[in-house]
Amino acid sequence: MSVFALRQPKELYESQKLAIWYFIVAILLFGVQITFGLFMAYQYIDPEFLYGKLSFMTNRTLHVNSMIVWLLVGLMGGVYWFLPLETGREVVGIKLAKFIWWVIVAGVTVVVLVYLFVQVGPGNAFTLWFINEGREYIEAPRWADFAIVAWVAIFLYNVIATALAARRITGLLGVLIFDLVALGALYSAGMHYTVNVTMDQYLWWWVVHLWVEATWEVLVGVVMGWSLMYLLGTPRKLIETWLFLEVALVFGTGILGLGHHYFWIGTPEYWIGLGGFFSALEPLPLVAMVVHAVYDSGAHRLYTVNKPALFWAIAQAFGNFIGAGVWGFMQTLPQINMYSHGTQLAAAHGHFAFFGAYVGTVMTLVYIAAQNARKHVQIPLDSKLWGWAYGLLIFSIIGVVASFTISGFAQTMIERAELGSTWNAFIRAYTHPWYANTHWWRFWMGMLFLTAYLILVWDLVTIGRKPAAAVEGAHD
Amino acid sequence: MDIVRVEVFLDEASEPLAVVTEPPFRVRLDPAELGEGVHALTVVTYYKDGSSDHHNYVFDVTRKDSVFAGHISQAPLRSPVEVDLVEAVEIEDPKPPNATIYALLPLVLFLGIALVAWWIAVRAESAVTDQPEVQTIARSVAKVAPTAAAPAGGADGATIYASNCASCHGANGEGMGQVFPALAGNDKLADANFVIDVVLNGQPGTSMPAFGGQLSDEEVAAVVSYIRTSWGNAYGPVTAAEVAAQR
Ligand code: HEM
Ligand SMILES: [Fe+2]
């Protein structure tokens, strides 16, 4: 069979059925992320809320960990969706893939329950192994780390073995394989626990920065490439040429761009120059992706087999550029970062970038799967509701980001630049109206985001159900 | 590639627009024969082994003489177009990928990165609190850290205030913003039991921490007396016995 046209057999491949489970769990965890985010937003307003029961730190752990997990699950789901289409055959080792998937689902459930009901430990080896490893974004206890590494290893095996069995390697597959190697190996850097905080953070950033600003960004390039081929029929040549350019730029700038986290943590001073220079170039590949997306959708005048997926793909290109590129660039030069480091500006950027780059991607993939999961495939896929979910999610995340940006600006100006980082300065910034009043605003924008999420879930369940516009002839 | 037949369906038609059984697998689309609006083209490919698959195209006809063929063609069409249903490269015999590059090299790279991370981590010791190194560090930090209370010889309220309270309530009890109330000229300080309670137990839900664990009865009495008698306050001192009674 073929590897070139993303040909879909009547029955979904087993690996596509698995992908649908990935997407279902991803969307559920998205809900978990939003819930705990709202708890925190309210705790900013009323510190007595859940006082003594569910601390801010526990909520934060759940908020960011569920995010990392659901986005990664969504991206991996995208690979399981497209891999058989790309290679024209069932994924090799699909039984193993299903097995480890249910182990991971069970594991994530246990980890979440332990976070919720145990929360803290004495900080000894037992805590490390069974409760919480204590590093932001990747708090999972060590036993879960091993499960995750096994999971990525099996995933990588699926991809490599399928390509070999299909006797085909495409540009997209080649990039995917090496990217997954880096992604998996870098995770192991987050499993060490060292007495020297500088060393500890030095390695921790390998996971956090080199994941989101290098390996994930490339993984997104691959799955978005497949998505565009599916949505617009963009020629493979065009997709792969752009992909190679993006990979070169992402790795070329992002690897040493790591230095923008090494300015003030006790690492050697040369990182100020290296990090400042290379991270300032990091928006370049993101510009390339916007150009690519606009060019492609323009060339096809937005005619697509799946409207919501195409619109999410376009939002992804812009969101990635603005959230990661612009909001990141804003604070990446050491001259600025010296004042803005660790303020709410980082949170503004974090929310914007993760939403733009990764939520946008996973939504694209989820809508593609939703279209094909039905008995009668509606073409083009469309509904009244998806636009509401789309518009409200984007509007309310911009609202949340705006409130973080304003409070971060107040902190940067008052606490750092004007008053020089004293305790008094901290209090002044903290009590300034630009800081304090944005808490309400953020909370209500969060509530709107939750509403939009519920609309999204409803739309995903119902979209494409009515067979009216389906192309019947092809299927019977 | 063992393609035996390719069928092309237009929109919701149940009869194929074309059935092609031989290379080149092509179909002719003529704008003149298509109604205005969005059209879907479904290409169903059948293979020798009996299996089949499909892929879809969407395109738009805006005026009778110009089909915009979406990804069938990059530009609006003025005349009929021949659409390739199977890419030439798909019919070639596939070459197996190089296993050394795509299987062995990834493994080596994976282990390489993991080893470097491990090597860096090993150079710094493990930091769990039951490690002897960590205990040593904790003890040396404890030795040099300033202690809150003045040593023997009676507690000095002013010193205790300066090192525990002034950062929030101000060196002269002036407070800060809305979060940290002023102590100078604060009526609530008239109630000695209330003040002792707040210092001992803090005020949950506010930024005021509890000091009961780190200050002795004498020290609490000294600092409460200090704030009740300074900066124009004249509410009188309290005794250690009063503090002890409230523990
Ligand atoms: C999709 C890509 C990106 C994501 C998801 C992302 C996410 C984040 C997050 C969550 C943080 C906060 C880390 C913490 O302190 O806990 C952060 C920090 C930072 N990011 Fe990004 N980022 C992305 C891309 C970029 C790019 C392209 C740049 C530069 C142009 C950048 C510049 C920065 C800087 C300078 C900081 C440190 C802020 C500080 O010092 O407090 N980021 N990023
Ligand atoms: Fe970074």
Side-chain angles (χ1 to χ4, degrees):
Chain A
M1 286 196 218
S2 105
V3 285
F4 285 93
L6 299 187
R7 295 158 180 278
Q8 175 72 58
K10 244 182 266 178
E11 268 281 308
L12 292 184
Y13 286 103
E14 285 304 304
S15 132
Q16 290 181 308
K17 291 183 191 156
L18 179 61
I20 290 173
W21 278 112
Y22 268 65
F23 293 137
I24 290 172
V25 170
I27 295 290
L28 289 177
L29 284 173
F30 187 12
V32 172
Q33 178 195 2
I34 299 169
T35 308
F36 288 97
L38 276 170
F39 285 172
M40 277 190 287
Y42 197 71
Q43 283 175 327
Y44 262 102
I45 297 168
D46 175 8
E48 271 179 84
F49 179 62
L50 293 178
Y51 180 83
K53 296 188 191 73
L54 203 53
S55 74
F56 183 89
M57 285 313 279
T58 304
N59 288 326
R60 197 200 48 79
T61 301
L62 281 154
H63 178 65
V64 296
N65 281 251
S66 55
M67 171 191 71
I68 298 291
V69 173
W70 88 259
L71 291 174
L72 191 59
V73 163
L75 295 175
M76 290 169 73
V79 173
Y80 276 129
W81 182 268
F82 280 115
L83 186 60
L85 301 181
E86 176 78 350
T87 52
R89 57 159 296 141
E90 185 59 80
V91 165
V92 177
I94 188 70
K95 284 225 178 77
L96 200 56
K98 284 184 187 166
F99 170 74
I100 190 77
W101 166 244
W102 294 111
V103 171
I104 289 293
V105 170
V108 167
T109 313
V110 172
V111 170
V112 167
L113 291 178
V114 170
Y115 283 166
L116 270 177
F117 295 108
V118 184
Q119 299 192 8
V120 289
N124 55 22
F126 178 81
T127 313
L128 259 185
W129 275 94
F130 296 104
I131 300 179
N132 182 324
E133 234 177 7
R135 267 190 233 86
E136 230 187 334
Y137 306 103
I138 44 171
E139 274 102 339
R142 191 165 284 163
W143 72 266
D145 281 346
F146 282 100
I148 290 170
V149 170
W151 180 31
V152 177
I154 290 175
F155 185 60
L156 187 59
Y157 160 74
N158 287 149
V159 176
I160 293 177
T162 310
L164 292 183
R167 298 161 65 83
R168 275 288 190 209
I169 198 87
T170 60
L172 282 153
L173 282 175
V175 168
L176 177 67
I177 289 171
F178 286 98
D179 189 57
L180 288 179
V181 167
L183 188 146
L186 287 171
Y187 187 76
S188 74
M191 293 166 61
H192 302 288
Y193 207 81
T194 65
V195 75
N196 179 329
V197 161
T198 300
M199 295 282 220
D200 195 272
Q201 296 284 291
Y202 186 89
L203 284 173
W204 174 73
W205 282 114
W206 280 25
V207 189
V208 179
H209 171 101
L210 291 180
W211 263 22
V212 299
E213 281 164 69
T215 54
W216 281 33
E217 205 71 77
V218 169
L219 182 54
V220 161
V222 173
V223 291
M224 285 312 266
W226 280 326
S227 299
L228 286 177
M229 284 167 62
Y230 172 78
L231 293 171
L232 298 172
T234 308
R236 175 176 293 272
K237 258 223 155 102
L238 198 67
I239 296 278
E240 291 192 340
T241 310
W242 277 103
L243 182 70
F244 293 142
L245 178 73
E246 284 157 11
V247 170
L249 285 172
V250 164
F251 282 139
T253 60
I255 293 177
L256 285 173
L258 174 64
H260 64 188
H261 303 290
Y262 290 170
F263 293 157
W264 333 111
I265 66 166
T267 28
E269 230 168 279
Y270 54 74
W271 281 111
I272 292 184
L274 278 179
F277 180 78
F278 283 98
S279 72
L281 298 176
E282 277 184 48
L284 278 181
L286 311 183
V287 177
M289 292 185 205
V290 171
V291 174
H292 179 182
V294 170
Y295 170 83
D296 260 14
S297 339
H300 297 284
R301 300 214 215 140
L302 297 181
Y303 293 125
T304 173
V305 292
N306 185 325
K307 290 232 163 103
L310 180 68
F311 274 81
W312 274 110
I314 294 169
Q316 192 276 338
F318 282 96
N320 196 4
F321 169 62
I322 299 173
V326 179
W327 254 249
F329 184 80
M330 217 185 250
Q331 48 198 310
T332 205
L333 297 175
Q335 294 88 332
I336 294 170
N337 192 270
M338 184 166 147
Y339 299 101
S340 71
H341 175 61
T343 62
Q344 302 265 24
L345 274 184
H349 156 66
H351 280 77
F352 218 176
F354 268 114
F355 182 85
Y358 302 124
V359 177
T361 304
V362 176
M363 288 303 128
T364 308
L365 298 167
V366 166
Y367 269 106
I368 291 175
Q371 179 179 29
N372 288 282
R374 308 273 183 251
K375 269 244 142 35
H376 297 283
V377 179
Q378 192 190 72
I379 295 171
L381 184 71
D382 203 355
S383 73
K384 291 221 169 56
L385 224 47
W386 74 260
W388 282 100
Y390 177 81
L392 285 178
L393 281 172
I394 293 175
F395 175 79
S396 51
I397 199 72
I398 291 178
V400 168
V401 167
S403 90
F404 273 127
T405 305
I406 292 172
S407 41
F409 182 76
Q411 278 182 300
T412 305
M413 279 306 287
I414 300 166
E415 178 190 330
R416 307 289 174 78
E418 287 174 2
L419 299 177
S421 295
T422 59
W423 172 239
N424 187 349
F426 167 72
I427 302 299
R428 282 283 148 75
Y430 200 86
T431 51
H432 190 277
W434 280 26
Y435 189 93
N437 294 349
T438 51
H439 295 165
W440 276 106
W441 174 359
R442 186 145 78 228
F443 175 72
W444 285 110
M445 281 297 176
M447 292 297 276
L448 189 60
F449 195 89
L450 176 67
T451 314
Y453 166 78
L454 295 174
I455 299 176
L456 172 86
V457 172
W458 185 245
D459 185 48
L460 283 171
V461 174
T462 55
I463 195 168
R465 271 276 155 85
K466 55 174 198 302
V471 189
E472 305 280 356
H475 301 275
D476 318 306
Chain B
M1 275 286 285
D2 312 312
I3 296 176
V4 290
R5 192 167 87 251
V6 181
E7 296 178 354
V8 184
F9 295 83
L10 190 66
D11 300 330
E12 282 153 59
S14 52
E15 289 301 309
L17 174 76
V19 179
V20 198
T21 51
E22 260 165 34
F25 297 98
R26 285 209 183 122
V27 69
R28 191 179 146 92
L29 283 185
D30 186 348
E33 287 167 10
L34 297 166
E36 294 208 2
V38 179
H39 294 278
L41 199 67
T42 300
V43 180
V44 187
T45 312
Y46 293 89
Y47 301 87
K48 205 187 235 158
D49 62 4
S51 65
S52 70
D53 57 29
H54 65 267
H55 53 290
N56 307 294
Y57 294 125
V58 170
F59 64 97
D60 182 51
V61 177
T62 44
R63 272 170 284 129
K64 271 266 179 282
D65 65 340
S66 96
V67 177
F68 175 64
H71 44 282
I72 289 172
S73 157
Q74 297 278 320
L77 298 178
R78 304 263 162 233
S79 52
V81 61
E82 294 280 337
V83 178
D84 273 322
L85 301 173
V86 176
E87 283 183 47
V89 69
E90 291 186 59
I91 305 174
E92 287 169 12
D93 234 2
K95 295 180 286 299
N98 185 329
T100 315
I101 294 181
Y102 293 104
L104 193 61
L105 185 60
L107 190 68
V108 171
L109 277 176
F110 186 100
L111 294 177
I113 298 177
L115 268 178
V116 173
W118 186 69
W119 180 73
I120 293 178
V122 164
R123 290 175 52 207
E125 312 92 308
S126 173
V128 284
T129 50
D130 41 12
Q131 291 283 314
E133 301 90 336
V134 181
Q135 299 270 319
T136 317
I137 292 172
R139 270 193 299 275
S140 62
V141 169
K143 228 180 277 160
V144 296
T147 43
D156 173 9
T159 314
I160 297 169
Y161 182 83
S163 52
N164 291 288
C165 323
S167 54
C168 292
H169 291 289
N172 297 307
E174 71 275 21
M176 208 184 291
Q178 293 147 324
V179 178
F180 303 112
L183 300 178
N186 186 332
D187 297 344
K188 286 185 175 171
L189 267 60
D191 181 350
N193 286 341
F194 169 75
V195 183
I196 293 170
D197 178 55
V198 170
V199 174
L200 281 178
N201 304 314
Q203 263 192 319
T206 73
S207 307
M208 176 70 194
F211 289 92
Q214 63 196 80
L215 300 182
S216 66
D217 291 346
E218 286 74 26
E219 288 160 350
V220 173
V223 75
V224 169
S225 302
Y226 174 73
I227 63 174
R228 279 164 52 93
T229 57
S230 306
W231 321 304
N233 291 349
Y235 304 117
V238 300
T239 63
E242 283 174 81
V243 176
Q246 286 216 43
R247 284 260 182 199

